[in-house]
Amino acid sequence: MWILYLSLTVLLLILTLLPKIQHSHWIFRTPEFGKIQITFFTLFTFILGFFAAPHEYLWYCQGLLVLIFIHHSVILIKYTPLYPVKKFTQKYQSSDKIHFISANVYQFNREYDRFIRLIDKYKPEMFLTMESNGDWEYALRKLEQDYPYQHKVTLENTYGMHFYSKLKIEESGTHYFVADDIPSIEAHLKTEDGYSFVFFGVHPPPPSPTEEETSKERDGDLLSTARRVIEIDKPVIVVGDFNNVAWSKSSILFRKTSHLIDPRIGRSFVSTFHAKYKLLRFPIDLMFHSEEIFIEDLKTLENFGSDHLPVYCEFFIDHEQEKKQEEKIDYATEKEKAEAEEMIEEGKKEDGERDAVVTEG
């Protein structure tokens, strides 16, 4: 029992320390994804210590586990209802409520009708699909009558992206910030009651042993989006499969350099991946918004066959109350801005070497 307990303690210490090393290799970045699981496993190991055989180093290990637990908890508590944030209600001068669904559909998922039924059930004004290829585009044509405005980026490399809207798209474009096969969508929309806003859909590649060796492209793509966001003088929402978690260094840099707000703070983790394994689920489908946008609801929806759960959001726009949310914005220092620019350049230089057509398995 002592060997098991000691091994778990050492493992938890390593997983806690690895992300502190500012290296882009996936070995150092992937432990960030499991912070929730690491926290609970730390508590489990601490309890296990009381059943381990007496040992002269037991209480040193128990003390270390307490420190590890506190370290992770201080970070995670911000993303729970226990963290106090000011709530806002819709006023007479606010826009009508707007709803969207963001979903990584998983390119090889053939259960198109389940996703279509999901859209029919919740009837969002707009929805974004990621990993949507030609087959998905064809399957979703039956929704085009209800969603007459679209922006499509059809790819077979698991980075295709489609945006459908009932709201008028006044203009839209596709960005390839760091690589010519990793798109981001920028759509300028106008509501029926006259409110304009900009919707960004993003899906950068993850650092992992099966995909990208480093996080350079991911971080460069996200920070390039942030640089574009601050050029826009309209309410902004950035949504997608970030392949990142809200507490990572690059996510925090994104939030600070874009001057956007993370709606998970004071709300919940909204964990989406992996859809089939509840205990091994990470919050990597993120969203951020400007101070004119007020989030009423943010949650995951039921699985439709993908490896990601879809994200559902309800929000309204209010220019009269926007100053009340300014306190939620953190601004980057000059040093952080310079670091973000450096990460963008590193992302552009990185060669992802992805196949143009990816097959399952």
Side-chain angles (χ1 to χ4, degrees):
M1 181 71 80
W2 167 253
I3 297 300
L4 173 63
Y5 167 79
L6 183 61
S7 299
L8 290 174
T9 302
V10 171
L11 176 62
L12 290 165
L13 178 62
I14 291 171
L15 292 175
T16 300
L17 293 178
L18 277 177
K20 302 297 180 186
I21 301 171
Q22 293 307 315
H23 195 286
S24 61
H25 195 279
W26 66 263
I27 288 176
F28 300 95
R29 302 277 62 88
T30 51
E32 294 173 320
F33 290 66
K35 186 177 287 290
I36 301 170
Q37 289 77 8
I38 290 170
T39 304
F40 282 104
F41 216 73
T42 300
L43 180 60
F44 167 80
T45 306
F46 177 78
I47 295 171
L48 182 66
F50 292 105
F51 298 93
H55 194 280
E56 60 180 314
Y57 294 116
L58 174 62
W59 291 108
Y60 291 103
C61 291
Q62 289 289 77
L64 178 61
L65 289 169
V66 169
L67 291 176
I68 293 172
F69 181 81
I70 291 173
H71 167 74
H72 291 299
S73 297
V74 166
I75 295 170
L76 293 179
I77 198 169
K78 289 181 64 177
Y79 303 93
T80 73
L82 297 175
Y83 190 79
V85 293
K86 190 174 181 180
K87 307 294 183 183
F88 298 93
T89 57
Q90 193 174 17
K91 304 292 185 181
Y92 72 90
Q93 74 271 25
S94 306
S95 73
D96 293 336
K97 290 183 180 178
I98 308 165
H99 311 79
F100 72 79
I101 289 175
S102 169
N104 183 321
V105 297
Y106 181 58
Q107 182 171 301
F108 310 107
N109 175 20
R110 301 288 184 260
E111 299 188 61
Y112 311 115
D113 287 341
R114 286 181 67 184
F115 181 72
I116 291 170
R117 288 196 298 270
L118 184 85
I119 298 299
D120 287 339
K121 177 180 177 180
Y122 291 96
K123 296 179 170 41
E125 281 75 24
M126 53 194 177
F127 68 90
L128 173 74
T129 62
M130 291 154 287
E131 289 201 31
S132 41
N133 61 354
D135 292 337
W136 270 96
E137 181 181 323
Y138 180 80
L140 294 176
R141 284 180 184 173
K142 60 181 67 176
L143 291 172
E144 291 184 4
Q145 185 174 351
D146 293 328
Y147 294 86
Y149 303 100
Q150 304 119 29
H151 186 98
K152 303 174 181 179
V153 187
T154 308
L155 298 172
E156 301 294 332
N157 65 349
T158 73
Y159 290 98
M161 189 178 292
H162 292 70
F163 180 65
Y164 297 81
S165 177
K166 295 179 180 179
L167 306 178
K168 182 180 180 180
I169 298 179
E170 296 187 311
E171 61 175 301
S172 63
T174 305
H175 296 288
Y176 296 90
F177 287 121
V178 298
D180 59 7
D181 59 348
I182 301 294
S184 299
I185 291 176
E186 176 184 335
H188 293 244
L189 301 104
K190 192 166 189 177
T191 67
E192 291 184 0
D193 51 349
Y195 288 81
S196 296
F197 68 99
V198 182
F199 184 100
F200 280 87
V202 300
H203 182 204
S208 78
T210 58
E211 296 201 42
E212 300 307 312
E213 186 175 288
T214 75
S215 64
K216 289 181 180 180
E217 279 190 310
R218 180 199 69 183
D219 298 341
D221 190 74
L222 293 177
L223 292 168
S224 295
T225 303
R227 186 165 63 180
R228 170 60 185 149
V229 164
I230 60 174
E231 298 173 350
I232 298 173
D233 189 25
K234 293 180 185 177
V236 174
I237 292 179
V238 182
V239 178
D241 177 2
F242 278 54
N243 279 311
N244 208 355
V245 284
W247 47 80
S248 74
K249 181 179 180 179
S250 54
S251 278
I252 293 170
L253 264 181
F254 171 86
R255 176 166 54 82
K256 287 183 173 183
T257 55
S258 64
H259 306 166
L260 297 181
I261 297 166
D262 183 353
R264 281 171 165 77
I265 294 175
R267 191 180 300 271
S268 66
F269 298 120
V270 195
S271 298
T272 55
F273 177 86
H274 194 287
K276 295 180 181 178
Y277 310 116
K278 192 170 184 178
L279 296 179
L280 292 174
R281 193 171 290 170
F282 311 131
I284 63 173
D285 291 86
L286 306 182
M287 74 161 289
F288 296 84
H289 64 88
S290 57
E291 66 267 28
E292 306 95 337
I293 290 173
F294 295 79
I295 307 301
E296 286 278 286
D297 194 14
L298 181 65
K299 62 185 179 182
T300 57
L301 301 178
E302 57 266 32
N303 189 12
F304 58 92
S306 174
D307 52 355
H308 287 246
L309 294 177
V311 174
Y312 173 88
C313 180
E314 177 182 294
F315 69 95
F316 63 88
I317 301 169
D318 191 326
H319 294 283
E320 299 297 323
Q321 295 192 82
E322 64 180 72
K323 291 189 180 299
K324 296 180 180 179
Q325 284 205 118
E326 286 183 356
E327 62 187 32
K328 295 183 178 181
I329 299 175
D330 290 330
Y331 295 96
T333 64
E334 291 303 316
K335 181 180 178 181
E336 288 172 327
K337 290 177 184 177
E339 188 172 7
E341 290 297 321
E342 183 179 342
M343 292 169 76
I344 290 171
E345 293 307 312
E346 287 180 353
K348 290 178 179 179
K349 293 175 183 176
E350 189 75 359
D351 185 1
E353 298 184 349
R354 285 170 293 273
D355 295 330
V357 177
V358 176
T359 56
E360 190 171 15

PDB file of all heavy atoms in Angstrom, residues 176-207:
ATOM      1  N   TYR A 176      -6.692  32.404 -42.225  1.00  0.00           N
ATOM      2  CA  TYR A 176      -5.713  31.329 -42.047  1.00  0.00           C
ATOM      3  C   TYR A 176      -4.521  31.998 -41.364  1.00  0.00           C
ATOM      4  O   TYR A 176      -3.554  32.390 -42.014  1.00  0.00           O
ATOM      5  CB  TYR A 176      -5.333  30.708 -43.384  1.00  0.00           C
ATOM      6  CG  TYR A 176      -6.496  30.015 -44.074  1.00  0.00           C
ATOM      7  CD1 TYR A 176      -7.314  30.711 -44.956  1.00  0.00           C
ATOM      8  CD2 TYR A 176      -6.775  28.681 -43.817  1.00  0.00           C
ATOM      9  CE1 TYR A 176      -8.382  30.089 -45.579  1.00  0.00           C
ATOM     10  CE2 TYR A 176      -7.848  28.038 -44.443  1.00  0.00           C
ATOM     11  CZ  TYR A 176      -8.641  28.750 -45.322  1.00  0.00           C
ATOM     12  OH  TYR A 176      -9.707  28.124 -45.924  1.00  0.00           O
ATOM     13  N   PHE A 177      -4.619  32.121 -40.067  1.00  0.00           N
ATOM     14  CA  PHE A 177      -3.665  32.952 -39.337  1.00  0.00           C
ATOM     15  C   PHE A 177      -2.248  32.371 -39.314  1.00  0.00           C
ATOM     16  O   PHE A 177      -1.277  33.096 -39.486  1.00  0.00           O
ATOM     17  CB  PHE A 177      -4.143  33.170 -37.910  1.00  0.00           C
ATOM     18  CG  PHE A 177      -5.310  34.106 -37.780  1.00  0.00           C
ATOM     19  CD1 PHE A 177      -6.491  33.687 -37.209  1.00  0.00           C
ATOM     20  CD2 PHE A 177      -5.224  35.420 -38.234  1.00  0.00           C
ATOM     21  CE1 PHE A 177      -7.573  34.553 -37.080  1.00  0.00           C
ATOM     22  CE2 PHE A 177      -6.291  36.296 -38.112  1.00  0.00           C
ATOM     23  CZ  PHE A 177      -7.478  35.858 -37.534  1.00  0.00           C
ATOM     24  N   VAL A 178      -2.124  31.068 -39.065  1.00  0.00           N
ATOM     25  CA  VAL A 178      -0.780  30.496 -38.935  1.00  0.00           C
ATOM     26  C   VAL A 178      -0.496  29.375 -39.937  1.00  0.00           C
ATOM     27  O   VAL A 178       0.649  28.998 -40.122  1.00  0.00           O
ATOM     28  CB  VAL A 178      -0.538  29.957 -37.499  1.00  0.00           C
ATOM     29  CG1 VAL A 178      -0.626  31.076 -36.474  1.00  0.00           C
ATOM     30  CG2 VAL A 178      -1.496  28.831 -37.153  1.00  0.00           C
ATOM     31  N   ALA A 179      -1.534  28.830 -40.561  1.00  0.00           N
ATOM     32  CA  ALA A 179      -1.332  27.739 -41.521  1.00  0.00           C
ATOM     33  C   ALA A 179      -2.454  27.779 -42.551  1.00  0.00           C
ATOM     34  O   ALA A 179      -3.586  28.171 -42.232  1.00  0.00           O
ATOM     35  CB  ALA A 179      -1.317  26.388 -40.806  1.00  0.00           C
ATOM     36  N   ASP A 180      -2.148  27.358 -43.782  1.00  0.00           N
ATOM     37  CA  ASP A 180      -3.135  27.457 -44.858  1.00  0.00           C
ATOM     38  C   ASP A 180      -4.160  26.325 -44.831  1.00  0.00           C
ATOM     39  O   ASP A 180      -4.993  26.215 -45.739  1.00  0.00           O
ATOM     40  CB  ASP A 180      -2.447  27.518 -46.224  1.00  0.00           C
ATOM     41  CG  ASP A 180      -1.583  26.290 -46.504  1.00  0.00           C
ATOM     42  OD1 ASP A 180      -1.621  25.325 -45.708  1.00  0.00           O
ATOM     43  OD2 ASP A 180      -0.855  26.302 -47.525  1.00  0.00           O
ATOM     44  N   ASP A 181      -4.125  25.479 -43.799  1.00  0.00           N
ATOM     45  CA  ASP A 181      -5.133  24.420 -43.676  1.00  0.00           C
ATOM     46  C   ASP A 181      -5.851  24.478 -42.325  1.00  0.00           C
ATOM     47  O   ASP A 181      -6.557  23.538 -41.954  1.00  0.00           O
ATOM     48  CB  ASP A 181      -4.495  23.044 -43.880  1.00  0.00           C
ATOM     49  CG  ASP A 181      -3.379  22.745 -42.880  1.00  0.00           C
ATOM     50  OD1 ASP A 181      -2.941  23.692 -42.172  1.00  0.00           O
ATOM     51  OD2 ASP A 181      -2.938  21.584 -42.804  1.00  0.00           O
ATOM     52  N   ILE A 182      -5.677  25.573 -41.585  1.00  0.00           N
ATOM     53  CA  ILE A 182      -6.344  25.755 -40.296  1.00  0.00           C
ATOM     54  C   ILE A 182      -7.165  27.045 -40.365  1.00  0.00           C
ATOM     55  O   ILE A 182      -6.641  28.144 -40.173  1.00  0.00           O
ATOM     56  CB  ILE A 182      -5.339  25.840 -39.124  1.00  0.00           C
ATOM     57  CG1 ILE A 182      -4.489  24.576 -39.051  1.00  0.00           C
ATOM     58  CG2 ILE A 182      -6.070  26.068 -37.813  1.00  0.00           C
ATOM     59  CD1 ILE A 182      -5.267  23.317 -38.694  1.00  0.00           C
ATOM     60  N   PRO A 183      -8.464  26.938 -40.684  1.00  0.00           N
ATOM     61  CA  PRO A 183      -9.278  28.139 -40.864  1.00  0.00           C
ATOM     62  C   PRO A 183      -9.903  28.659 -39.574  1.00  0.00           C
ATOM     63  O   PRO A 183     -10.085  27.912 -38.602  1.00  0.00           O
ATOM     64  CB  PRO A 183     -10.383  27.658 -41.809  1.00  0.00           C
ATOM     65  CG  PRO A 183     -10.581  26.213 -41.413  1.00  0.00           C
ATOM     66  CD  PRO A 183      -9.203  25.706 -41.019  1.00  0.00           C
ATOM     67  N   SER A 184     -10.210  29.926 -39.579  1.00  0.00           N
ATOM     68  CA  SER A 184     -11.068  30.551 -38.576  1.00  0.00           C
ATOM     69  C   SER A 184     -12.101  31.378 -39.328  1.00  0.00           C
ATOM     70  O   SER A 184     -11.787  31.969 -40.366  1.00  0.00           O
ATOM     71  CB  SER A 184     -10.272  31.451 -37.630  1.00  0.00           C
ATOM     72  OG  SER A 184      -9.301  30.720 -36.925  1.00  0.00           O
ATOM     73  N   ILE A 185     -13.313  31.421 -38.821  1.00  0.00           N
ATOM     74  CA  ILE A 185     -14.394  32.161 -39.472  1.00  0.00           C
ATOM     75  C   ILE A 185     -14.652  33.463 -38.722  1.00  0.00           C
ATOM     76  O   ILE A 185     -14.711  33.480 -37.491  1.00  0.00           O
ATOM     77  CB  ILE A 185     -15.684  31.317 -39.528  1.00  0.00           C
ATOM     78  CG1 ILE A 185     -15.518  30.150 -40.502  1.00  0.00           C
ATOM     79  CG2 ILE A 185     -16.887  32.160 -39.921  1.00  0.00           C
ATOM     80  CD1 ILE A 185     -16.710  29.207 -40.541  1.00  0.00           C
ATOM     81  N   GLU A 186     -14.814  34.530 -39.467  1.00  0.00           N
ATOM     82  CA  GLU A 186     -15.233  35.817 -38.912  1.00  0.00           C
ATOM     83  C   GLU A 186     -16.517  36.235 -39.624  1.00  0.00           C
ATOM     84  O   GLU A 186     -16.522  36.459 -40.837  1.00  0.00           O
ATOM     85  CB  GLU A 186     -14.158  36.883 -39.108  1.00  0.00           C
ATOM     86  CG  GLU A 186     -14.580  38.268 -38.631  1.00  0.00           C
ATOM     87  CD  GLU A 186     -13.541  39.347 -38.914  1.00  0.00           C
ATOM     88  OE1 GLU A 186     -12.345  38.993 -39.031  1.00  0.00           O
ATOM     89  OE2 GLU A 186     -13.929  40.529 -39.014  1.00  0.00           O
ATOM     90  N   ALA A 187     -17.621  36.331 -38.879  1.00  0.00           N
ATOM     91  CA  ALA A 187     -18.909  36.677 -39.472  1.00  0.00           C
ATOM     92  C   ALA A 187     -19.502  37.881 -38.756  1.00  0.00           C
ATOM     93  O   ALA A 187     -19.622  37.886 -37.533  1.00  0.00           O
ATOM     94  CB  ALA A 187     -19.873  35.491 -39.382  1.00  0.00           C
ATOM     95  N   HIS A 188     -19.865  38.901 -39.528  1.00  0.00           N
ATOM     96  CA  HIS A 188     -20.500  40.100 -38.992  1.00  0.00           C
ATOM     97  C   HIS A 188     -22.011  39.952 -39.175  1.00  0.00           C
ATOM     98  O   HIS A 188     -22.495  39.838 -40.311  1.00  0.00           O
ATOM     99  CB  HIS A 188     -19.988  41.339 -39.715  1.00  0.00           C
ATOM    100  CG  HIS A 188     -18.551  41.623 -39.468  1.00  0.00           C
ATOM    101  ND1 HIS A 188     -18.095  42.765 -38.819  1.00  0.00           N
ATOM    102  CD2 HIS A 188     -17.427  40.910 -39.767  1.00  0.00           C
ATOM    103  CE1 HIS A 188     -16.787  42.740 -38.732  1.00  0.00           C
ATOM    104  NE2 HIS A 188     -16.349  41.625 -39.309  1.00  0.00           N
ATOM    105  N   LEU A 189     -22.742  39.962 -38.069  1.00  0.00           N
ATOM    106  CA  LEU A 189     -24.173  39.700 -38.108  1.00  0.00           C
ATOM    107  C   LEU A 189     -24.977  40.883 -37.591  1.00  0.00           C
ATOM    108  O   LEU A 189     -24.451  41.734 -36.857  1.00  0.00           O
ATOM    109  CB  LEU A 189     -24.517  38.459 -37.275  1.00  0.00           C
ATOM    110  CG  LEU A 189     -23.838  37.159 -37.700  1.00  0.00           C
ATOM    111  CD1 LEU A 189     -22.703  36.831 -36.745  1.00  0.00           C
ATOM    112  CD2 LEU A 189     -24.828  36.014 -37.732  1.00  0.00           C
ATOM    113  N   LYS A 190     -26.253  40.893 -37.948  1.00  0.00           N
ATOM    114  CA  LYS A 190     -27.170  41.912 -37.448  1.00  0.00           C
ATOM    115  C   LYS A 190     -28.479  41.253 -37.057  1.00  0.00           C
ATOM    116  O   LYS A 190     -29.047  40.482 -37.833  1.00  0.00           O
ATOM    117  CB  LYS A 190     -27.409  42.989 -38.498  1.00  0.00           C
ATOM    118  CG  LYS A 190     -28.112  44.229 -37.941  1.00  0.00           C
ATOM    119  CD  LYS A 190     -28.033  45.391 -38.920  1.00  0.00           C
ATOM    120  CE  LYS A 190     -28.530  46.680 -38.273  1.00  0.00           C
ATOM    121  NZ  LYS A 190     -28.394  47.844 -39.182  1.00  0.00           N
ATOM    122  N   THR A 191     -28.932  41.536 -35.845  1.00  0.00           N
ATOM    123  CA  THR A 191     -30.173  40.950 -35.350  1.00  0.00           C
ATOM    124  C   THR A 191     -31.376  41.678 -35.956  1.00  0.00           C
ATOM    125  O   THR A 191     -31.254  42.783 -36.497  1.00  0.00           O
ATOM    126  CB  THR A 191     -30.254  41.033 -33.822  1.00  0.00           C
ATOM    127  OG1 THR A 191     -30.358  42.419 -33.438  1.00  0.00           O
ATOM    128  CG2 THR A 191     -29.022  40.428 -33.176  1.00  0.00           C
ATOM    129  N   GLU A 192     -32.534  41.065 -35.829  1.00  0.00           N
ATOM    130  CA  GLU A 192     -33.749  41.675 -36.359  1.00  0.00           C
ATOM    131  C   GLU A 192     -34.098  42.967 -35.635  1.00  0.00           C
ATOM    132  O   GLU A 192     -34.780  43.839 -36.202  1.00  0.00           O
ATOM    133  CB  GLU A 192     -34.909  40.682 -36.273  1.00  0.00           C
ATOM    134  CG  GLU A 192     -34.762  39.492 -37.220  1.00  0.00           C
ATOM    135  CD  GLU A 192     -35.964  38.576 -37.173  1.00  0.00           C
ATOM    136  OE1 GLU A 192     -36.903  38.862 -36.400  1.00  0.00           O
ATOM    137  OE2 GLU A 192     -35.978  37.568 -37.917  1.00  0.00           O
ATOM    138  N   ASP A 193     -33.659  43.106 -34.376  1.00  0.00           N
ATOM    139  CA  ASP A 193     -33.943  44.348 -33.651  1.00  0.00           C
ATOM    140  C   ASP A 193     -32.787  45.351 -33.761  1.00  0.00           C
ATOM    141  O   ASP A 193     -32.702  46.298 -32.979  1.00  0.00           O
ATOM    142  CB  ASP A 193     -34.305  44.070 -32.187  1.00  0.00           C
ATOM    143  CG  ASP A 193     -33.300  43.182 -31.472  1.00  0.00           C
ATOM    144  OD1 ASP A 193     -32.423  42.602 -32.152  1.00  0.00           O
ATOM    145  OD2 ASP A 193     -33.385  43.055 -30.240  1.00  0.00           O
ATOM    146  N   GLY A 194     -31.879  45.123 -34.730  1.00  0.00           N
ATOM    147  CA  GLY A 194     -30.914  46.151 -35.090  1.00  0.00           C
ATOM    148  C   GLY A 194     -29.577  46.138 -34.381  1.00  0.00           C
ATOM    149  O   GLY A 194     -28.814  47.110 -34.490  1.00  0.00           O
ATOM    150  N   TYR A 195     -29.232  45.065 -33.683  1.00  0.00           N
ATOM    151  CA  TYR A 195     -27.948  44.989 -32.971  1.00  0.00           C
ATOM    152  C   TYR A 195     -26.926  44.248 -33.833  1.00  0.00           C
ATOM    153  O   TYR A 195     -27.185  43.145 -34.314  1.00  0.00           O
ATOM    154  CB  TYR A 195     -28.112  44.274 -31.635  1.00  0.00           C
ATOM    155  CG  TYR A 195     -28.844  45.087 -30.592  1.00  0.00           C
ATOM    156  CD1 TYR A 195     -30.233  45.167 -30.590  1.00  0.00           C
ATOM    157  CD2 TYR A 195     -28.149  45.778 -29.603  1.00  0.00           C
ATOM    158  CE1 TYR A 195     -30.912  45.921 -29.643  1.00  0.00           C
ATOM    159  CE2 TYR A 195     -28.814  46.525 -28.647  1.00  0.00           C
ATOM    160  CZ  TYR A 195     -30.198  46.590 -28.673  1.00  0.00           C
ATOM    161  OH  TYR A 195     -30.865  47.337 -27.729  1.00  0.00           O
ATOM    162  N   SER A 196     -25.769  44.858 -33.984  1.00  0.00           N
ATOM    163  CA  SER A 196     -24.693  44.241 -34.754  1.00  0.00           C
ATOM    164  C   SER A 196     -23.674  43.602 -33.813  1.00  0.00           C
ATOM    165  O   SER A 196     -23.407  44.124 -32.725  1.00  0.00           O
ATOM    166  CB  SER A 196     -23.984  45.284 -35.631  1.00  0.00           C
ATOM    167  OG  SER A 196     -24.865  45.818 -36.589  1.00  0.00           O
ATOM    168  N   PHE A 197     -23.104  42.481 -34.232  1.00  0.00           N
ATOM    169  CA  PHE A 197     -22.037  41.849 -33.476  1.00  0.00           C
ATOM    170  C   PHE A 197     -21.230  40.965 -34.414  1.00  0.00           C
ATOM    171  O   PHE A 197     -21.628  40.717 -35.567  1.00  0.00           O
ATOM    172  CB  PHE A 197     -22.583  41.045 -32.285  1.00  0.00           C
ATOM    173  CG  PHE A 197     -23.374  39.823 -32.658  1.00  0.00           C
ATOM    174  CD1 PHE A 197     -22.810  38.550 -32.638  1.00  0.00           C
ATOM    175  CD2 PHE A 197     -24.723  39.931 -33.018  1.00  0.00           C
ATOM    176  CE1 PHE A 197     -23.532  37.422 -32.967  1.00  0.00           C
ATOM    177  CE2 PHE A 197     -25.461  38.805 -33.350  1.00  0.00           C
ATOM    178  CZ  PHE A 197     -24.867  37.548 -33.323  1.00  0.00           C
ATOM    179  N   VAL A 198     -20.077  40.500 -33.918  1.00  0.00           N
ATOM    180  CA  VAL A 198     -19.175  39.674 -34.727  1.00  0.00           C
ATOM    181  C   VAL A 198     -18.985  38.330 -34.049  1.00  0.00           C
ATOM    182  O   VAL A 198     -18.751  38.255 -32.836  1.00  0.00           O
ATOM    183  CB  VAL A 198     -17.812  40.366 -34.920  1.00  0.00           C
ATOM    184  CG1 VAL A 198     -16.900  39.508 -35.798  1.00  0.00           C
ATOM    185  CG2 VAL A 198     -17.997  41.740 -35.528  1.00  0.00           C
ATOM    186  N   PHE A 199     -19.102  37.276 -34.844  1.00  0.00           N
ATOM    187  CA  PHE A 199     -18.944  35.907 -34.361  1.00  0.00           C
ATOM    188  C   PHE A 199     -17.679  35.318 -34.981  1.00  0.00           C
ATOM    189  O   PHE A 199     -17.530  35.287 -36.197  1.00  0.00           O
ATOM    190  CB  PHE A 199     -20.162  35.081 -34.754  1.00  0.00           C
ATOM    191  CG  PHE A 199     -20.177  33.668 -34.229  1.00  0.00           C
ATOM    192  CD1 PHE A 199     -20.913  33.334 -33.108  1.00  0.00           C
ATOM    193  CD2 PHE A 199     -19.457  32.658 -34.869  1.00  0.00           C
ATOM    194  CE1 PHE A 199     -20.942  32.038 -32.633  1.00  0.00           C
ATOM    195  CE2 PHE A 199     -19.473  31.359 -34.394  1.00  0.00           C
ATOM    196  CZ  PHE A 199     -20.215  31.052 -33.267  1.00  0.00           C
ATOM    197  N   PHE A 200     -16.770  34.849 -34.120  1.00  0.00           N
ATOM    198  CA  PHE A 200     -15.571  34.139 -34.573  1.00  0.00           C
ATOM    199  C   PHE A 200     -15.711  32.659 -34.237  1.00  0.00           C
ATOM    200  O   PHE A 200     -16.048  32.306 -33.098  1.00  0.00           O
ATOM    201  CB  PHE A 200     -14.317  34.674 -33.872  1.00  0.00           C
ATOM    202  CG  PHE A 200     -13.769  35.946 -34.437  1.00  0.00           C
ATOM    203  CD1 PHE A 200     -14.240  37.171 -34.012  1.00  0.00           C
ATOM    204  CD2 PHE A 200     -12.772  35.922 -35.411  1.00  0.00           C
ATOM    205  CE1 PHE A 200     -13.739  38.351 -34.521  1.00  0.00           C
ATOM    206  CE2 PHE A 200     -12.261  37.099 -35.929  1.00  0.00           C
ATOM    207  CZ  PHE A 200     -12.744  38.314 -35.488  1.00  0.00           C
ATOM    208  N   GLY A 201     -15.423  31.812 -35.200  1.00  0.00           N
ATOM    209  CA  GLY A 201     -15.335  30.377 -34.958  1.00  0.00           C
ATOM    210  C   GLY A 201     -13.896  29.931 -35.126  1.00  0.00           C
ATOM    211  O   GLY A 201     -13.268  30.216 -36.161  1.00  0.00           O
ATOM    212  N   VAL A 202     -13.342  29.249 -34.117  1.00  0.00           N
ATOM    213  CA  VAL A 202     -11.934  28.850 -34.149  1.00  0.00           C
ATOM    214  C   VAL A 202     -11.790  27.367 -33.832  1.00  0.00           C
ATOM    215  O   VAL A 202     -12.600  26.782 -33.118  1.00  0.00           O
ATOM    216  CB  VAL A 202     -11.083  29.688 -33.161  1.00  0.00           C
ATOM    217  CG1 VAL A 202     -11.158  31.159 -33.497  1.00  0.00           C
ATOM    218  CG2 VAL A 202     -11.526  29.450 -31.728  1.00  0.00           C
ATOM    219  N   HIS A 203     -10.751  26.768 -34.381  1.00  0.00           N
ATOM    220  CA  HIS A 203     -10.442  25.365 -34.086  1.00  0.00           C
ATOM    221  C   HIS A 203      -8.972  25.092 -34.379  1.00  0.00           C
ATOM    222  O   HIS A 203      -8.618  24.504 -35.403  1.00  0.00           O
ATOM    223  CB  HIS A 203     -11.339  24.429 -34.916  1.00  0.00           C
ATOM    224  CG  HIS A 203     -11.118  22.979 -34.624  1.00  0.00           C
ATOM    225  ND1 HIS A 203     -11.413  21.972 -35.521  1.00  0.00           N
ATOM    226  CD2 HIS A 203     -10.625  22.347 -33.512  1.00  0.00           C
ATOM    227  CE1 HIS A 203     -11.121  20.802 -34.990  1.00  0.00           C
ATOM    228  NE2 HIS A 203     -10.632  21.003 -33.778  1.00  0.00           N
ATOM    229  N   PRO A 204      -8.072  25.532 -33.505  1.00  0.00           N
ATOM    230  CA  PRO A 204      -6.644  25.295 -33.712  1.00  0.00           C
ATOM    231  C   PRO A 204      -6.265  23.855 -33.368  1.00  0.00           C
ATOM    232  O   PRO A 204      -7.001  23.174 -32.641  1.00  0.00           O
ATOM    233  CB  PRO A 204      -5.996  26.282 -32.745  1.00  0.00           C
ATOM    234  CG  PRO A 204      -6.990  26.404 -31.631  1.00  0.00           C
ATOM    235  CD  PRO A 204      -8.341  26.307 -32.276  1.00  0.00           C
ATOM    236  N   PRO A 205      -5.132  23.380 -33.851  1.00  0.00           N
ATOM    237  CA  PRO A 205      -4.718  21.995 -33.585  1.00  0.00           C
ATOM    238  C   PRO A 205      -4.196  21.810 -32.164  1.00  0.00           C
ATOM    239  O   PRO A 205      -3.567  22.708 -31.605  1.00  0.00           O
ATOM    240  CB  PRO A 205      -3.610  21.760 -34.615  1.00  0.00           C
ATOM    241  CG  PRO A 205      -3.047  23.116 -34.862  1.00  0.00           C
ATOM    242  CD  PRO A 205      -4.191  24.079 -34.755  1.00  0.00           C
ATOM    243  N   PRO A 206      -4.444  20.628 -31.581  1.00  0.00           N
ATOM    244  CA  PRO A 206      -4.002  20.387 -30.203  1.00  0.00           C
ATOM    245  C   PRO A 206      -2.572  19.873 -30.124  1.00  0.00           C
ATOM    246  O   PRO A 206      -2.094  19.205 -31.047  1.00  0.00           O
ATOM    247  CB  PRO A 206      -4.964  19.301 -29.730  1.00  0.00           C
ATOM    248  CG  PRO A 206      -5.218  18.494 -30.975  1.00  0.00           C
ATOM    249  CD  PRO A 206      -5.222  19.503 -32.106  1.00  0.00           C
ATOM    250  N   PRO A 207      -1.886  20.159 -29.017  1.00  0.00           N
ATOM    251  CA  PRO A 207      -0.609  19.483 -28.766  1.00  0.00           C
ATOM    252  C   PRO A 207      -0.898  18.096 -28.200  1.00  0.00           C
ATOM    253  O   PRO A 207      -1.538  17.966 -27.161  1.00  0.00           O
ATOM    254  CB  PRO A 207       0.058  20.388 -27.718  1.00  0.00           C
ATOM    255  CG  PRO A 207      -1.085  21.021 -26.981  1.00  0.00           C
ATOM    256  CD  PRO A 207      -2.219  21.139 -27.963  1.00  0.00           C
TER     257      PRO A 207
END
